[in-house]
Amino acid sequence: MSAKSKNANRSILVAIGVFLLTKFKFIFLFLKGFKFTGTIISMGFALYFYALVFGWKFGVALIYLIFIHELGHIIAARMKGINTGLPMFIPFVGAFINLKELPRDAKTEAFLAYGGPLAGLISFLPAIPLYIYTEEPLWALVIHLGAIINLFNLLPVSPLDGGRIVAVLSPNIWFLGLLVLGAFIFISPSPMIVLIFIFGMFSWWSHLTGDYRHKRLQYERDKWAQLYQEISRWIHQPLTSQERYDLQRDYMQAQQQPHQKKPFMFPLFQEEKKLAYEKVLLTRQFIMKRWELLVAHEQEQYRNAWNQYADSTASTTEAQAFSQHDQEAEGRIHDAEQGPYQPEPGILQHTISITETKLADMDKELERHAGYYETDSATRWKVLIAYLVLAGLLAAFYFYSDQMLLELRQVMKTT
C-alpha cells in the first residue's frame, strides 16, 4: 500500500476509535464507582511482560481481549444483582474478578459465566471489517486470539466458563472436559493447562463427594440444634439431679473411650462408612461440650451468687457507717445506691448467640447444596442451545482467522 493509503487508513481507524469511545462511554460510567488502581497496575505489569516476549502490538491486543471478556462477566453479574470487583491481571495466565457474593444457584452461575465468552466474541467482531479493508495482519491476529481465548474458556471443565455453564445440565460433564484437557496436555504440554486440569480435578472431586458433605453438615447441624434447645432450657429450668448425673456419666464414658484411629476407606466407594466414623466423632465432641458448658455455667452461678452476697453485705455495712459518721461516708453510700450486683451476660447466653449464627449459616449452606443444580428442563435446553451456538460461532471464527493467517504467511513467503 502507498504512504497516502496508509495515512488514510490511520485516519479512518482514529475516527472509528473516537466513534467507539463516544458510543460506549456508558461502560466507563458503569465502572465509575469501582477502584481502578489494582486493575491498572496489574494490567500494566501484564502488558509489560507480554510486550517483552511477544511485542507491544500482541500485548495490547491480548490485554484488550481479556479485559472485554472479564467485563462481560462483570456486566452479567450486575444484571443479576451480584457485586464484583474489577479484573486483576496475571501475566501468562489471564485475569480474574472477585465475586463478593456467591451465585444463588447453577442457573445464575451459568449466566455469569456465559457473559465472558459472549463479550469476548463481540470484542473481536470489529476486527473483521478492519482486516478486510486494511489487510493489516494485526486484525487477523486479534480475531484469531479472541476466538482461541474464548473457545478455550468454553471447555466443559470447572473452573473454566464452559464448566460453569454446563453444570446446569450436569456437573458429570466435567469428566469429559477433563479428558479433553488431558489430551491437550499429552499433545501440547503447557503449565497453564496443567494448572487448569488440577483445579478441574478438584472441582469434579468436590461434586462427587457433595452428597457425603451434605449429610455430614446436616448431622452436625442437628447436633447444634439439640445443644441450643438444651442450654436454652438450662437458663430458665435447672437440671434435675438425675439429668446432671446422666450428663456426667456420658461425659466420663466419652472421655475414657479410646481414641479411634481413622480406618482406611476407599474414596467414593465407602462414603457411608466414612460418614458413620464422622458421626461418632461429632457425637463425642458434643457430649463433652454439653458437660463442659454445664460445669462452666454452675461455676458462673456460684460466682454471681457470691458477688451478690458480698455486694449486699457491703451495702449494709456502709449504711450503718453512714448513720455513725454522717458525712464522712457519703462517697461510700453513693456506691451503695448503684443497686445490687448485676452479673454480665453468662456463658450460656453467649453460647446461644454463637449457636444461632452458626445454625443460620448452616441452614443457608444446606439450602444452597440441596437445590443448587435443580432447574427445569426448559432452562436446560436454553442453556445447551446457547452454549452450542456460541461455541460454534467461536469455532467458525477460529478456522476463518486461521485460514487468513495461513494466506498471509504464504504471501510473505512469496514476497
Side-chain angles (χ1 to χ4, degrees), residues 207-221:
H207 165 66
L208 293 178
T209 58
D211 187 55
Y212 154 76
R213 288 183 286 107
H214 180 83
K215 290 179 179 178
R216 187 195 182 282
L217 184 62
Q218 182 64 61
Y219 187 82
E220 184 178 2
R221 190 264 176 208

Side-chain angles (χ1 to χ4, degrees), residues 34-276:
F34 288 85
K35 296 181 179 179
F36 285 90
T37 306
T39 299
I40 293 174
I41 292 174
S42 65
M43 184 186 292
F45 273 111
L47 179 58
Y48 171 77
F49 285 110
Y50 289 141
L52 196 65
V53 177
F54 305 109
W56 70 268
K57 287 185 178 181
F58 181 95
V60 170
L62 191 56
I63 289 293
Y64 160 75
L65 292 168
I66 294 174
F67 180 74
I68 299 299
H69 176 101
E70 297 299 328
L71 190 61
H73 289 311
I74 294 172
I75 294 174
R78 284 303 181 92
M79 290 173 66
K80 291 294 184 179
I82 296 176
N83 195 15
T84 69
L86 274 179
M88 298 296 290
F89 288 80
I90 304 175
F92 307 107
V93 174
F96 68 93
I97 59 171
N98 178 33
L99 288 178
K100 298 183 179 180
E101 55 183 303
L102 293 175
R104 298 179 298 274
D105 47 44
K107 178 182 176 182
T108 304
E109 186 176 6
F111 185 85
L112 268 61
Y114 195 86
L118 178 61
L121 170 64
I122 296 171
S123 69
F124 64 78
L125 290 181
I128 298 174
L130 289 173
Y131 173 75
I132 294 173
Y133 179 76
T134 66
E135 296 183 356
E136 177 67 36
L138 174 64
W139 303 121
L141 180 63
V142 169
I143 300 168
H144 196 66
L145 277 176
I148 289 176
I149 291 171
N150 293 282
L151 191 59
F152 180 78
N153 262 283
L154 282 181
L155 283 176
V157 177
S158 180
L160 294 178
D161 296 330
R164 295 187 291 153
I165 294 171
V166 302
V168 175
L169 308 176
S170 173
N172 295 323
I173 300 175
W174 293 346
F175 179 70
L176 299 177
L178 288 171
L179 293 178
V180 175
L181 270 185
F184 269 111
I185 295 172
F186 180 77
I187 297 170
S188 178
S190 165
M192 185 179 70
I193 295 179
V194 171
L195 187 64
I196 293 172
F197 182 82
I198 292 172
F199 278 113
M201 285 293 294
F202 277 113
S203 297
W204 182 57
W205 186 264
S206 177
H207 165 66
L208 293 178
T209 58
D211 187 55
Y212 154 76
R213 288 183 286 107
H214 180 83
K215 290 179 179 178
R216 187 195 182 282
L217 184 62
Q218 182 64 61
Y219 187 82
E220 184 178 2
R221 190 264 176 208
D222 293 342
K223 286 295 180 183
W224 277 108
Q226 182 182 355
L227 179 68
Y228 176 82
Q229 293 174 356
E230 288 189 31
I231 61 180
S232 298
R233 182 171 59 85
W234 293 353
I235 294 177
H236 307 290
Q237 182 181 346
L239 275 73
T240 64
S241 300
Q242 184 61 43
E243 288 175 333
R244 191 182 188 282
Y245 171 78
D246 292 340
L247 283 179
Q248 186 177 21
R249 180 199 60 204
D250 293 341
Y251 172 78
M252 295 298 293
Q253 290 176 353
Q255 196 176 41
Q256 293 171 3
Q257 184 180 3
H259 179 70
Q260 271 189 309
K261 187 178 180 181
K262 187 175 181 179
F264 175 78
M265 291 165 281
F266 285 101
L268 299 180
F269 296 100
Q270 291 185 305
E271 295 297 311
E272 290 299 325
K273 183 178 179 181
K274 183 180 179 181
L275 182 62

